Amino acid sequence: GQQLNQSPQSMFIQEGEDVSMNCTSSSIFNTWLWYKQDPGEGPVLLIALYKAGELTSNGRLTAQFGITRKDSFLNISASIPSDVGIYFCAGQLDGAGTASKLTFGTGTRLQVTL
Amino acid sequence: NAGVTQTPKFQVLKTGQSMTLQCAQDMNHEYMSWYRQDPGMGLRLIHYSVGAGITDQGEVPNGYNVSRSTTEDFPLRLLSAAPSQTSVYFCASSYNTAPNTEAFFGQGTRLTVV
C-alpha cells in the first residue's frame, strides 16, 4: 500500500519554541489531514486540507497542502506543555475528508520541556 | 455526547480464541472504519463501510471479519486470534457529505493475544 513518510520521528523542544513537522508521499492525495493523539486516546483531527497549495490555520497551528499533492507540513507556534502527544498526518484519495481509506504517517512524538 | 464508543477497552485472548470488538456511534454517520495501530507505525485500515449492509476491505483485512447491519454499529470479529493481532484497535466514523467530513475516533481497544 501507499506509504507516508513523516519526520521527524520525535522531538524535544522547550516551551515557547515553534515546531515544524512534515509528511511526504510517493503518490498524490486529494486531502491531507493532521491528527493529534494523546496517551490512551484516539486521534483527534486538528486541521483538514482539501486543495493543493491551501494554507490553513487553527489557533497556533498552521498546515499547508503541498502544490504537488505529495506533501504537507504542520507548524505549531509558541508551544505549550499540552502540545505533548503524537501527531499524525493522513492522506486520503477518494472524495473529500471521509473517514474511509485514510493512509496514516508513522507519527511525530512531541515532548515539551518547561 | 457519546460520539464513537468502543468496547472493551482492554482484552487478553489466548491464541485460537475468537472475539468481537464492538463499535457504536450515535451521530448518524454513514462511514465507519476499523484501524489497527502498532508501535512505530501509523494507523492501518482493516475494513470499512460506506453504509448499512455495505463493507469492504482495507489494507490489512486478513484474520478479521466485519458486518454493518445497522447505521450505528460496526463490530470487528477475530475468528481465531493470533499473536500478530496484538495491537490497539480504533474505530472511526464520519459523514459522507463533502467537503468537510471530520473523522471521529473511539478511544481504542488494546488487545493482547498470548
Side-chain angles (χ1 to χ4, degrees):
Chain A
Q2 295 177 355
Q3 295 289 321
L4 292 187
N5 298 311
Q6 190 171 344
S7 64
Q9 287 187 338
S10 64
M11 41 195 323
F12 290 80
I13 61 168
Q14 287 194 322
E15 184 178 6
E17 287 185 343
D18 297 342
V19 175
S20 185
M21 58 191 79
N22 66 75
C23 207
T24 60
S25 170
S26 57
S27 52
I28 64 172
F29 288 105
N30 289 326
T31 302
W32 281 95
L33 306 167
W34 284 92
Y35 286 87
K36 181 184 180 225
Q37 185 178 26
D38 292 324
E41 301 289 332
V44 175
L45 184 68
L46 299 174
I47 290 181
L49 303 157
Y50 298 105
K51 282 174 67 173
E54 179 182 355
L55 183 71
T56 297
S57 294
N58 178 9
R60 293 179 297 106
L61 308 177
T62 301
Q64 184 156 31
F65 191 145
I67 198 71
T68 65
R69 292 202 279 162
K70 292 184 179 181
D71 63 319
S72 177
F73 72 75
L74 174 70
N75 288 340
I76 306 173
S77 62
S79 59
I80 59 177
S82 61
D83 289 335
V84 166
I86 303 177
Y87 292 79
F88 290 100
C89 62
Q92 193 259 331
L93 187 59
D94 301 331
T98 60
S100 299
K101 294 187 177 180
L102 287 174
T103 301
F104 281 83
T106 51
T108 295
R109 184 181 296 274
L110 178 64
Q111 293 186 269
V112 180
T113 57
L114 297 176
Chain B
N1 295 333
V4 179
T5 303
Q6 289 184 237
T7 56
K9 290 190 177 178
F10 301 94
Q11 182 71 50
V12 179
L13 290 179
K14 293 183 179 178
T15 297
Q17 284 185 316
S18 62
M19 81 158 294
T20 299
L21 280 63
Q22 301 291 345
C23 177
Q25 53 90 12
D26 60 359
M27 297 172 282
N28 202 30
H29 286 167
E30 297 94 340
Y31 278 111
M32 296 187 74
S33 49
W34 278 100
Y35 294 85
R36 60 178 288 173
Q37 183 176 31
D38 300 299
M41 304 182 74
L43 283 76
R44 292 182 294 168
L45 182 64
I46 305 172
H47 285 285
Y48 66 98
S49 169
V50 301
I54 306 169
T55 64
D56 206 344
Q57 295 182 346
E59 180 186 354
V60 288
N62 292 342
Y64 308 96
N65 282 348
V66 292
S67 59
R68 185 91 181 272
S69 56
T70 67
T71 299
E72 293 79 19
D73 300 298
F74 191 43
L76 178 73
R77 296 186 189 86
L78 283 71
L79 300 178
S80 179
S84 61
Q85 293 179 305
T86 294
S87 187
V88 182
Y89 292 84
F90 288 99
C91 178
S93 73
S94 78
Y95 287 113
N96 186 24
T97 306
N100 298 317
T101 55
E102 178 179 350
F104 291 87
F105 283 81
Q107 289 192 311
T109 295
R110 184 174 295 274
L111 175 67
T112 302
V113 182
V114 298

